[in-house]
Amino acid sequence: MPLHVSQHPLVAHKLAILRDKTTEPKKFRELVRELTWLLGYEAMADLATRPEPIETPLEPMTAARLEPRVGLIPILRAGLGMVDAMLELLPTAEVWHIGLYRDERTLKPVEYYNKLPDAATVQVCLVLDPMLATGGSAAATIDILKHWGAARVKQVSLIAAPEGVATLTTAHPDVDVHVAALDVRLNERGYIVPGLGDAGDRQFGTFAGPASEPGHGPDDETAEVVRRLQRDLEG
Ligand code: PRP
Ligand code: URA
């Protein structure tokens, strides 16, 4: 699974502002959108093209048109903020939402929305989710897409943890992963550190008090899940 960590200075600059805890939801959403343009441009760099004869005002020529049908697969909720930017890059893309939330105690993804039709309608799927933490949500979504019949899947995230990259490498070695940054680790609550906190809450302004804050309070079961992921990563 090739991991592509963007080296673009604009990505680094925008990510710095995104991470800052004083960045308000409005600015946060703008940055998610701008970062998605930049990562989307990089993630689609190897899409196939086909020759197509056209006529410019001056003369005929053979131009290149995008070959595969592309699907955007935002993982609800936080992936929603990446959709418009991708659609601006690729207005003909189909958007297929997958609803998953991460159980706070077990860190396992729980599916709640999936309206995919019986057979795949696109050849390339771009899974959109700002955070690749344990990798559970991404791996589950990619399982769904492969069963659906997607020939090729790419994951586009803003920040990944090494534990999540390892999980995805094992489950889906064929999937390219494009990120703005590879962070240091998960904390005992399964949040990426240094990270940016909760990407959904920061986009949508849904802060429900201290109990909902990343890293609030110990939970032995969750901490054990994270320790197991870290042991897998080391050995
Ligand atoms: C966040 C994030 C990912 C998931 C990543 O979503 O947007 O979907 O967690 O964690 P994982 O790699 O450990 O699976 P969350 O469950 O908080 O739902 P939300 O987007 O609705 O806030
Ligand atoms: N989900 C988030 O929004 N942030 C994290 O750090 C981990 C999961």
Side-chain angles (χ1 to χ4, degrees):
M1 178 194 70
L3 172 69
H4 307 266
V5 182
S6 178
Q7 299 301 314
H8 202 295
L10 276 179
V11 169
H13 176 78
K14 289 176 190 296
L15 189 60
I17 308 170
L18 188 81
R19 288 181 190 272
D20 192 314
K21 68 179 183 187
T22 65
T23 299
E24 300 288 340
K26 179 175 186 292
K27 182 73 183 162
F28 192 93
R29 289 192 295 272
E30 285 169 12
L31 289 160
V32 168
R33 183 190 186 100
E34 292 165 8
L35 282 160
T36 304
W37 282 328
L38 297 167
L39 291 181
Y41 177 78
E42 292 182 355
M44 289 192 264
D46 65 351
L47 292 188
T49 57
R50 62 180 149 73
E52 185 165 292
I54 61 162
E55 284 190 26
T56 77
L58 299 178
E59 63 176 18
M61 69 168 286
T62 304
R65 297 289 291 258
L66 210 54
E67 176 71 358
R69 284 203 63 76
V70 176
L72 307 177
I73 320 294
I75 303 182
L76 304 177
R77 287 174 302 168
L80 282 177
M82 301 174 75
V83 174
D84 282 354
M86 283 289 189
L87 280 175
E88 281 159 16
L89 292 177
L90 194 56
T92 56
E94 299 177 13
V95 183
W96 295 102
H97 301 83
I98 295 290
L100 295 180
Y101 71 86
R102 194 169 77 143
D103 181 296
E104 279 179 22
R105 247 168 9 97
T106 64
L107 301 181
K108 295 268 175 273
V110 181
E111 186 179 326
Y112 63 89
Y113 185 85
N114 175 356
K115 294 281 183 193
L116 291 173
D118 288 345
T121 56
V122 295
Q123 284 103 37
V124 177
C125 289
L126 300 183
V127 177
L128 309 179
D129 192 332
M131 308 305 273
L132 182 66
T134 65
S137 303
T141 301
I142 295 167
D143 281 342
I144 293 169
L145 296 174
K146 287 187 173 173
H147 279 114
W148 190 44
R152 189 157 181 223
V153 183
K154 290 167 177 265
Q155 171 83 19
V156 184
S157 293
L158 301 185
I159 302 182
E163 294 87 340
V165 171
T167 300
L168 212 46
T169 310
T170 306
H172 298 290
D174 56 318
V175 169
D176 287 327
V177 181
H178 291 263
V179 297
L182 178 64
D183 270 10
V184 178
R185 63 181 173 87
L186 296 178
N187 72 8
E188 72 284 358
R189 300 303 305 265
Y191 278 85
I192 301 174
V193 284
L196 51 72
D198 189 300
D201 287 343
R202 292 200 64 187
Q203 282 182 81
F204 301 119
T206 48
F207 304 103
S212 75
E213 280 171 15
H216 175 84
D219 184 314
D220 291 347
E221 188 180 349
T222 315
E224 181 48 35
V225 173
V226 173
R227 279 196 293 274
R228 184 175 46 72
L229 285 167
Q230 287 167 344
R231 281 196 300 270
D232 290 350
L233 184 64
E234 281 156 17

